Amino acid sequence: MCQGGFFYMKKVDYIIVGFGIAGIAISEHLLRRKKSFIIFDQNTSGATRTAGGVVNPVVLKRFHAVWKAQEFLNYAEPFYHALQHRLGTSFLNETTIQRVFNNYEEQNQWIASSDQKNLAPYLEASIIQDAVANWNHIYGMGTVNGSFQIETNGLINSFQEFLKKHDSIRFGRFDYNELNFIEDQVYYQDVTANKIVFAEGIQALDNPYFPSNCLIPKKGEYITIKAPELKLSSILKASFFVIPQGNDCYKVGATFAHGDLSNECTEKGKIQLTQKMEELLKVPFEVIHQEAGMRPTVKDHRPLLGKSLEKDHVYFLNGLGSRGLLMAPLLAKQLIELCEEGISVPKDIGIHRFTS
């Protein structure tokens, strides 16, 4: 801002680039510490907006616990409840997941897995044969406890409105050429900060400060169907998740379109999801919406967290893949502890583990 011949800079503690679930979690932790910040975000349909919002501690393809599931889950649920209180809104839904079995081998594997110490809190050993009347599930289902669902658009929109009131968010493409480092300060446009945190998801592939060869983009597509006769109250997981959205609508997905780097919806993705629903549902449905998003994944399936080796005051949180809603709250806490207190992050999630 220029006034009376002088150029005034907006001074904050942090610049945050990106407002998916990583940026949201970082923002909340800074608010708790009473740190000032400003967010720059493209406000496009990224991975968090597109996501089904299922927070689930179990890998349901092979029935084993998500990496550090209990640790992440114990931190995530109270984090989201506190965030709901701050925003004065509701976006968290307590729910169970019903895993549809494809054969008797999966039934047996489920029962065996439910007896394991790390899975027993989540997997009910009993097999349910008649949970959903309008669904083809001749081999029955198993129930997953400890899960919940985040209505991601509601979370993002309500947090954005909160930040707008405090002049703490701006929309538009981040121009790395306008980023400067002078002495112990970070400068971008009319903002100066002590530190900058990049939480951009897949957009980090264009970031010259982000370590190369870390991220692998994985495209996923969802459809939303309307099925008035289905009447689901819990989430179903067969080949894809079927997630109740209210008003007889259900979100179905997501696909894994390996090698497709576009953000566009495809007919192939729609057909794949629609055909699976035709196989499984006993009631009619219509497709009313389709969307696509790009997950930021990592080859060892661990997040990327840490500080730049080349530039002081530059930090990163990325690579959350399809488990971002589960992992982001605790990872953001660890990142801010690194920024504020110099507490090292575990080596298995350090961002430089592929380059050092």
Side-chain angles (χ1 to χ4, degrees):
M1 181 188 305
C2 192
Q3 184 177 14
F6 295 95
F7 188 76
Y8 291 93
M9 303 292 291
K10 180 180 177 69
K11 180 70 174 73
V12 293
D13 295 312
Y14 287 82
I15 292 171
I16 303 170
V17 184
F19 196 64
I21 190 56
I24 287 170
I26 292 165
S27 301
E28 170 61 11
H29 280 292
L30 291 177
L31 287 168
R32 293 180 181 187
R33 287 176 175 257
K34 302 188 185 307
K35 297 292 181 178
S36 59
F37 61 86
I38 188 163
I39 297 164
F40 291 88
D41 184 64
Q42 290 194 25
N43 200 29
T44 55
S45 182
T48 301
R49 276 199 183 274
T50 308
V54 179
V55 180
N56 166 36
V58 182
V59 179
L60 290 174
K61 185 175 182 179
R62 298 181 180 87
F63 311 147
H64 60 80
V66 171
W67 173 69
K68 295 186 177 180
Q70 190 71 62
E71 185 179 354
F72 284 123
L73 193 64
N74 286 347
Y75 193 84
E77 190 163 10
F79 173 90
Y80 288 119
H81 279 294
L83 187 52
Q84 281 189 145
H85 180 74
R86 180 187 298 280
L87 300 177
T89 188
S90 177
F91 54 76
L92 186 152
N93 302 308
E94 306 289 348
T95 187
T96 57
I97 301 172
Q98 305 291 342
R99 170 55 156 88
V100 181
F101 300 131
N102 296 305
N103 47 54
Y104 290 120
E105 182 181 357
E106 285 193 344
Q107 282 189 0
N108 294 333
Q109 184 182 356
W110 178 274
I111 293 171
S113 297
S114 69
D115 197 41
Q116 296 176 16
K117 183 178 180 181
N118 63 335
L119 288 170
Y122 310 125
L123 304 186
E124 291 191 7
S126 59
I127 305 298
I128 302 171
Q129 296 292 347
D130 56 355
V132 182
N134 295 311
W135 187 271
N136 290 314
H137 56 289
I138 60 175
Y139 298 103
M141 301 178 178
T143 300
V144 182
N145 297 314
S147 56
F148 56 92
Q149 180 193 3
I150 299 291
E151 203 286 287
T152 55
N153 279 301
L155 167 58
I156 292 172
N157 292 340
S158 59
F159 209 158
Q160 283 183 349
E161 289 304 312
F162 173 86
L163 295 171
K164 286 177 186 176
K165 293 177 182 177
H166 296 84
D167 191 26
S168 296
I169 191 166
R170 297 182 185 179
F171 300 112
R173 186 182 68 86
F174 190 86
D175 187 348
Y176 304 102
N177 293 322
E178 294 190 44
L179 184 61
N180 293 289
F181 303 90
I182 303 174
E183 296 180 349
D184 62 346
Q185 289 291 292
V186 180
Y187 292 84
Y188 182 73
Q189 295 180 351
D190 64 335
V191 179
T192 179
N194 300 324
K195 298 177 177 70
I196 183 168
V197 180
F198 290 104
E200 309 160 281
I202 208 63
Q203 293 168 9
L205 291 174
D206 298 322
N207 185 338
Y209 301 99
F210 192 82
S212 60
N213 303 317
C214 286
L215 284 183
I216 304 170
K218 290 289 179 66
K219 180 178 179 178
E221 295 188 62
Y222 284 91
I223 58 171
T224 300
I225 64 172
K226 192 171 184 68
E229 298 177 42
L230 185 54
K231 305 300 181 186
L232 287 184
S233 58
S234 60
I235 297 169
L236 290 187
K237 173 64 170 72
S239 300
F240 303 103
F241 280 101
V242 181
I243 308 163
Q245 304 288 291
N247 299 317
D248 297 321
C249 294
Y250 304 88
K251 194 166 187 173
V252 180
T255 63
F256 278 86
H258 301 287
D260 183 353
L261 301 182
S262 74
N263 286 312
E264 303 303 318
C265 296
T266 65
E267 188 65 20
K268 179 181 178 181
K270 181 179 179 180
I271 291 172
Q272 182 182 2
L273 294 165
T274 303
Q275 286 182 343
K276 185 54 63 174
M277 288 301 96
E278 289 172 347
E279 292 174 14
L280 295 174
L281 294 188
K282 296 180 180 180
V283 296
F285 68 91
E286 63 172 323
V287 178
I288 60 174
H289 184 63
Q290 184 178 2
E291 55 193 324
M294 199 70 72
R295 310 175 187 91
T297 66
V298 184
K299 60 184 178 182
D300 64 358
H301 308 292
R302 300 287 185 267
L304 301 166
L305 193 160
K307 180 180 179 180
S308 171
L309 296 177
E310 290 76 31
K311 290 286 186 182
D312 287 337
H313 323 302
V314 176
Y315 296 81
F316 306 99
L317 177 55
N318 211 316
L320 305 190
S322 60
R323 304 285 175 184
L325 290 166
L326 174 65
M327 297 191 297
L330 182 56
L331 293 175
K333 176 178 180 289
Q334 292 175 312
L335 177 70
I336 299 305
E337 287 174 345
L338 170 66
C339 294
E340 290 293 308
E341 298 156 28
I343 299 175
S344 298
V345 302
K347 291 183 179 179
D348 58 351
I349 61 174
I351 194 167
H352 301 292
R353 63 186 183 272
F354 301 121
T355 58
S356 59

